[in-house]
Amino acid sequence: MNRHFASVVIACATLISAAAVQAQSATPYPSRPVRMIVPFAPGGASDFVGRIIQSRLGEELAQQVVIDNRTGASGNIGVEIAARATPDGYTILLGNSGTMVINPGLFPKFPIRPTRDLIAVTQVVDVPGALVVHPSVPVASVKEFIAYAKARPDKLNYGSAGAGSPQRLSMEYFMNQAGIKLVHIPYKGGAGAAAIAVVAGEVSAVMTSVPAVLPHVKSGKLKLLSVVSPKRLVATPETPTMVESGFPAMTTGAWQGLFTPAGTPRPIISKLFAAAGKTMADPEVGRRLATGSAEIITSKSPEEFAKFVRAETDLWVKVIKDIGVVGE
């Protein structure tokens, strides 16, 4: 009798459990807030973009989107947290060119490989870069800055968001092409921290995103020498591009896009893709992003974005090898 009763209890428990799983899987996604990991601290380009799209994306998903700034290790900490999250659509990552395609070449022993452990959903923006210096540096152009640095080898320094950051790689490429050498000073917390270091006079220069430095340029706390963009920016029309300054290969800034952990079901990927597309098509989102000179660029499909990420990864692996930069 006891055995029979136990069998009945187990059978009932199994049925209840199966029903619960079925009910959970039948619940429309999303049924609770979605976490968006930003792998850098507030103040940089990633945080700038994330906080602008956060509210509108939440409206499209009919759930709150919560920003979770996870800083450190050139963005690798946030990427790893996202990659190891449950693949249920409730954790998404706002990745950028540094974390997704540059870091793999700089940190070959890092256990997370973005093209393997994360699913590319869609690109959202491209953020132009900027070369800025502290006002005390007596130069007014890239040409003058190069001459000034050549006269002071290893006496000037520059800030970045870390060994594997786009800021460092872009500056190292620029120095390599210009024939100058500045001392690298890494800062934790993303582009914002490195920009503040220049404002404070701790370092002489930084090559970072326009949103991270534009307010300081407008207030006179930083001097803008050039922008990394195919054409001059509406926000700073008097500032020449790096192409105009003699560096034809320096045309692209730092793109950003949405990713989810590998294993996320296709219907959820499709819903996130559609929601992101509608978010980026919102005129108010575009207007706010334009204040930081961020250009909206969305992918035609998750597959197209994944192909783009793979191609970018191959490109930067070659650049890193040619320059000889290694992660610290």
Side-chain angles (χ1 to χ4, degrees):
M1 183 70 178
N2 287 339
R3 289 182 179 178
H4 177 70
F5 179 74
S7 298
V8 171
V9 169
I10 293 172
C12 289
T14 301
L15 289 173
I16 292 172
S17 177
V21 170
Q22 185 176 6
Q24 185 177 9
S25 63
T27 303
Y29 167 83
S31 60
R32 53 187 171 86
V34 175
R35 174 176 63 157
M36 180 192 292
I37 293 178
V38 174
F40 298 104
S46 293
D47 190 70
F48 169 78
V49 172
R51 293 186 185 279
I52 288 177
I53 69 176
Q54 169 189 19
S55 177
R56 190 68 183 85
L57 182 62
E59 291 177 10
E60 289 298 331
L61 293 173
Q63 284 291 340
Q64 183 181 14
V65 173
V66 180
I67 298 289
D68 185 6
N69 295 95
R70 293 300 187 100
T71 67
S74 301
N76 281 342
I77 289 177
V79 171
E80 183 167 10
I81 291 172
R84 298 193 187 285
T86 303
D88 55 7
Y90 290 99
T91 296
I92 59 178
L93 170 71
L94 182 62
N96 69 359
S97 53
T99 54
M100 311 312 290
V101 301
I102 293 176
N103 282 3
L106 283 166
F107 303 97
K109 294 183 180 180
F110 185 57
I112 301 302
R113 313 314 286 170
T115 53
R116 179 194 66 198
D117 302 319
L118 290 154
I119 296 175
V121 179
T122 183
Q123 184 177 347
V124 290
V125 297
D126 185 78
V127 182
L131 173 61
V132 297
V133 297
H134 188 267
S136 64
V137 181
V139 300
S141 67
V142 172
K143 183 179 179 180
E144 290 181 6
F145 179 67
I146 293 172
Y148 186 75
K150 283 184 176 179
R152 296 161 181 79
D154 293 318
K155 295 294 178 63
L156 301 179
N157 51 22
Y158 76 94
S160 83
S165 65
Q167 297 85 25
R168 185 196 178 195
L169 198 61
S170 295
M171 188 60 124
E172 291 287 343
Y173 178 81
F174 165 63
M175 292 191 302
N176 178 273
Q177 295 296 301
I180 60 176
K181 182 63 178 177
L182 280 69
V183 178
H184 177 223
I185 308 295
Y187 286 86
K188 294 181 179 179
I196 293 299
V198 188
V199 172
E202 295 177 10
V203 293
S204 302
V206 68
M207 187 173 285
T208 186
S209 65
V210 168
V213 297
L214 192 57
H216 305 302
V217 170
K218 290 184 176 180
S219 67
K221 295 178 181 178
L222 290 177
K223 195 185 306 184
L224 178 62
L225 301 184
S226 185
V227 294
V228 186
S229 175
K231 58 184 179 181
R232 294 195 182 196
L233 306 180
V234 174
T236 58
E238 72 287 350
T239 304
T241 66
M242 289 298 290
V243 174
E244 293 176 284
S245 301
F247 298 87
M250 301 188 74
T251 59
T252 58
W255 57 261
Q256 298 190 33
L258 297 179
F259 297 80
T260 63
T264 301
R266 179 67 197 199
I268 291 178
I269 298 295
S270 297
K271 187 157 190 177
L272 286 170
F273 176 80
K278 292 179 181 178
T279 295
M280 303 316 294
D282 187 297
E284 178 61 16
V285 170
R287 185 194 67 78
R288 293 178 63 193
L289 287 169
T291 63
S293 298
E295 180 184 4
I296 293 178
I297 299 178
T298 55
S299 307
K300 294 181 180 179
S301 67
E303 290 76 18
E304 181 194 63
F305 186 39
K307 182 179 180 180
F308 170 75
V309 172
R310 288 193 297 270
E312 282 277 287
T313 301
D314 293 341
L315 170 66
W316 281 106
V317 165
K318 183 180 185 305
V319 170
I320 290 167
K321 183 178 179 181
D322 291 345
I323 297 176
V325 178
V326 294
E328 295 174 350

